[in-house]
Amino acid sequence: MGLTRIRHSSHSEHFLLLKYPKEPYRCEGCKELGFGPGYECEHEDCCFYLHEECANATPSAFHSFLKCSLKFHSRAPQGDGRICDACGQDVLGFVYQCKHKNPHDYHPSCLKLQRTLTAEDGTRLHLKKKLPSKCLNCGSTRTSNGIKGWSYVSSCGQYCFHVACVKDMVLENWKKGYFLQDGSVNEANSYQALESFNPNREVALPSGRRNSSKTKQVWRKAKTAVMLIISALFGDPTALISLLIQQLLSD
Ligand SMILES: [Zn+2]
Ligand SMILES: [Zn+2]
Ligand SMILES: [Zn+2]
Ligand SMILES: [Zn+2]
Ligand SMILES: [Zn+2]
């Protein structure tokens, strides 16, 4: 894992350790949620966390989706009101910006999103700059705040989801308390948490009998895709994912 004990300019008074935090955390760099490996201050009282991507941000970066190079800023030079062009969430801290007159903004962790995700059942999802068809969650090719945003699309092209839509879903549930402080799922609410992900049925499901095996198969695939995207977005919340997967396979 490279250097596991570092000093970082954003918290220079203490060393930070690369850990697998027991609970989801708020990254002090980009202010986004994290579940996966991150840097934690050695002094527990500090409760200071940084995403691995935020701690290791480089002064400049490239992404194959973009023609121009990106520069790192600990705050957007233009101030508040910037939106990440990958995930559609607000930019409240660490950000990469391109040099266009009206620049694009990217969270460090969004810039590092894996290009291909593979599920245990072989389902593959590919990160795309443009949605080839409508997002199964919102039924649109644009996100609710009007940006196009990046998406994950299955190899067969049938399952498309905005990164923004999946992130919104998790953050909504986070706020509602479906996820407990220790990162596990509040079991009483976990089914509800999953159901709150509500694909646009007209788009997502083939017409015909509601409980046909074909319909169930589509649902299961759609949910597998969503779980896969969640693990790519927030790190690998193993306990969370396995619990939710169990729920899906049991219906
Ligand atoms: Zn961060
Ligand atoms: Zn500290
Ligand atoms: Zn983002
Ligand atoms: Zn640009
Ligand atoms: Zn969407």
Side-chain angles (χ1 to χ4, degrees), residues 10-77:
S10 65
H11 192 72
S12 51
E13 60 268 42
H14 299 137
F15 277 104
L16 307 178
L17 283 175
L18 184 57
K19 279 189 174 175
Y20 214 109
K22 282 191 226 77
E23 35 189 84
Y25 55 90
R26 179 77 56 188
C27 169
E28 296 291 337
C30 66
K31 317 292 182 193
E32 292 286 296
L33 196 65
F35 286 108
Y39 284 92
E40 186 179 348
C41 178
E42 282 186 335
H43 294 253
E44 279 180 20
D45 296 347
C46 281
C47 287
F48 182 94
Y49 295 92
L50 283 177
H51 283 125
E52 215 179 339
E53 297 90 346
C54 285
N56 295 326
T58 48
S60 58
F62 288 93
H63 195 281
S64 59
F65 284 175
L66 309 164
K67 289 197 179 79
C68 52
S69 66
L70 300 159
K71 262 191 88 172
F72 176 77
H73 303 273
S74 55
R75 293 284 301 189

Side-chain angles (χ1 to χ4, degrees), residues 162-174:
H162 285 122
V163 165
C165 280
V166 176
K167 209 164 176 180
D168 270 348
M169 191 238 338
V170 172
L171 294 176
E172 271 305 300
N173 285 305
W174 168 255

Side-chain angles (χ1 to χ4, degrees), residues 123-223:
T123 303
R124 266 168 179 265
L125 301 175
H126 307 275
L127 187 66
K128 300 274 183 196
K129 192 180 172 187
K130 281 191 184 133
L131 211 59
S133 58
K134 288 173 181 172
C135 166
L136 292 189
N137 186 60
C138 66
S140 168
T141 55
R142 282 178 178 269
T143 65
S144 56
N145 52 15
I147 64 154
K148 283 180 180 157
W150 293 355
S151 313
Y152 277 107
V153 181
S154 62
S155 301
C156 65
Q158 198 182 353
Y159 303 95
C160 306
F161 294 97
H162 285 122
V163 165
C165 280
V166 176
K167 209 164 176 180
D168 270 348
M169 191 238 338
V170 172
L171 294 176
E172 271 305 300
N173 285 305
W174 168 255
K175 282 181 208 141
K176 285 182 197 156
Y178 293 140
F179 302 121
L180 297 177
Q181 280 302 304
D182 64 0
S184 63
V185 170
N186 184 347
E187 281 211 47
N189 284 325
S190 61
Y191 185 70
Q192 211 182 336
L194 200 60
E195 287 306 298
S196 74
F197 161 70
N198 187 20
N200 183 329
R201 282 162 186 261
E202 285 153 56
V203 183
L205 301 178
S207 55
R209 285 187 303 125
R210 238 206 254 161
N211 291 320
S212 70
S213 59
K214 173 77 180 156
T215 305
K216 278 185 176 165
Q217 196 195 332
V218 170
W219 261 100
R220 189 150 59 217
K221 279 238 171 208
K223 286 181 177 179

Side-chain angles (χ1 to χ4, degrees), residues 66-70 97-100 102-104 106:
L66 309 164
K67 289 197 179 79
C68 52
S69 66
L70 300 159
Q97 277 190 350
C98 72
K99 289 169 185 156
H100 282 131
N102 186 10
H104 291 102
Y106 301 93

